[in-house]
């Protein structure tokens, strides 16, 4: 069975500060891992994905994530937060037929 | 390329009434998903279609929810009768389908927000 755990339902950072959103996964097979972002009143949009190629994955809007098998983690980072990054972020693990989403982390960016 | 289209965007009904949501996936996408997203939670899969067939409906409350995907394209999700706890955003997503052991990147619509009074 596959699952993801997102640590911290709410994260606040100052504008210009490092963004770190945590995701740990459980999977009995090599996982496909994703980060999606959801802005208010919109659907989910893919930020980046890991599909067993490079362990450091770069996505849109300056975000990146590193796959660490030993830690079963896929944390999302951005060096410098921007006000427009305020949104909800979801980590997901995918298998052959099924996606499992985490409960989400709401990112607040303080001016 | 047109994205996933959903309608209506917003719907308010009273409990015990019925409601239907429509989804048109990206052209050529074989797999279509309906997710329920309750406020403050992650999306929960209700049903997944591969072309015309149902792949997974294990979390669909079949006593009140139904879904169909005619001709492997558009899909409709119906709730009858609605309960207060059905208040949520209903997200439709599509993907190309399974290739190389992977179900493919999901593309989401903007969602249909249901409020049950």
């Amino acid at each position: 069975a596959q699952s993801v755990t997102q640590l911290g339902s709410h994260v606040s950072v100052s504008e210009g500060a490092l963004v770190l959103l945590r995701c740990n996964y459980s999977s009995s097979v090599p996982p496909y891992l994703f980060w999606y972002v959801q802005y208010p009143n919109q659907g989910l949009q893919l930020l980046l994905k890991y599909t067993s190629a490079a362990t450091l994955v770069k996505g849109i809007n300056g975000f990146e994530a590193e796959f660490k098998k030993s830690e079963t983690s896929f944390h999302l980072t951005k060096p410098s937060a921007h006000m427009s990054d305020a949104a909800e972020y979801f980590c997901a693990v995918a298998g052959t037929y099924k996606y499992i989403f985490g409960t989400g982390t709401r990112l607040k960016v303080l001016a | 390329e047109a994205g996933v289209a959903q309608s209506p965007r917003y719907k308010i009904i009273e409990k015990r009434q019925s409601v239907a949501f429509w989804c048109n996936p990206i052209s050529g996408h074989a797999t279509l998903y309906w997710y329920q997203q309750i406020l403050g939670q992650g999306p929960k899969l209700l049903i997944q279609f591969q072309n015309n067939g149902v792949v997974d409906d294990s979390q669909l409350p079949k006593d009140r929810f139904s879904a169909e995907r005619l001709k492997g394209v558009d899909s409709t999700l119906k709730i009858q009768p609605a309960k207060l706890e059905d208040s949520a955003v209903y997200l439709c997503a599509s993907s190309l389908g399974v290739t190389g052991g992977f179900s493919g990147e999901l593309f989401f619509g903007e969602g249909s927000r249901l409020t049950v009074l």
Side-chain angles (χ1 to χ4, degrees):
Chain A
Q2 295 177 310
S3 66
V4 290
T5 302
Q6 291 185 243
L7 299 175
S9 58
H10 292 81
V11 170
S12 293
V13 300
S14 298
E15 191 174 20
L18 171 72
V19 175
L20 171 61
L21 304 182
R22 299 176 187 274
C23 173
N24 288 89
Y25 71 90
S26 173
S27 178
S28 56
V29 297
Y32 296 103
L33 295 162
F34 305 81
W35 277 98
Y36 282 84
V37 60
Q38 186 176 34
Y39 298 102
N41 298 316
Q42 294 187 26
L44 279 70
Q45 177 186 358
L46 181 68
L47 266 181
L48 50 80
K49 61 184 176 185
Y50 168 77
T51 56
S52 75
T55 56
L56 182 62
V57 182
K58 295 187 184 299
I60 62 172
N61 301 338
F63 284 93
E64 62 182 37
E66 187 172 7
F67 172 71
K68 292 187 176 180
K69 185 177 178 180
S70 60
E71 299 177 8
T72 61
S73 69
F74 191 58
H75 301 332
L76 182 70
T77 60
K78 182 174 181 178
S80 177
H82 193 272
M83 297 298 289
S84 60
D85 295 327
E88 188 142 24
Y89 293 80
F90 293 93
C91 181
V93 61
T96 303
Y97 285 108
K98 186 175 287 190
Y99 271 77
I100 305 294
F101 285 88
T103 51
T105 297
R106 185 169 296 278
L107 176 66
K108 186 174 183 179
V109 181
L110 307 172
Chain B
E1 176 181 271
V4 177
Q6 289 189 248
S7 68
R9 287 294 314 277
Y10 303 93
K11 189 76 175 178
I12 300 174
I13 62 173
E14 296 190 349
K15 59 183 179 183
R16 292 187 289 273
Q17 287 187 323
S18 63
V19 62
F21 302 112
W22 173 82
C23 173
N24 180 240
I26 292 174
S27 177
H29 280 195
T31 310
L32 185 147
Y33 310 74
W34 282 103
Y35 284 89
Q36 180 191 59
Q37 187 179 19
I38 292 173
L39 186 66
Q41 299 181 20
K44 182 185 88 170
L45 180 68
L46 291 176
I47 188 166
Q48 178 179 341
F49 294 95
Q50 180 79 11
N51 297 311
N52 287 345
V54 175
V55 174
D56 185 348
D57 64 356
S58 57
Q59 297 195 86
L60 186 74
K62 298 180 185 63
D63 57 334
R64 298 182 301 106
F65 285 66
S66 65
E68 60 182 6
R69 189 182 186 195
L70 299 177
K71 300 180 182 178
V73 182
D74 293 8
S75 178
T76 303
L77 175 70
K78 296 180 181 177
I79 307 174
Q80 181 180 9
K83 293 185 174 182
L84 296 177
E85 59 259 37
D86 298 333
S87 293
V89 176
Y90 291 87
L91 293 165
C92 180
S94 69
S95 69
L96 278 171
V98 178
T99 52
F102 170 48
S103 52
E105 176 184 336
L106 294 187
F107 294 84
F108 283 86
E110 293 188 308
S112 296
R113 182 179 297 276
L114 174 66
T115 301
V116 182
L117 304 176

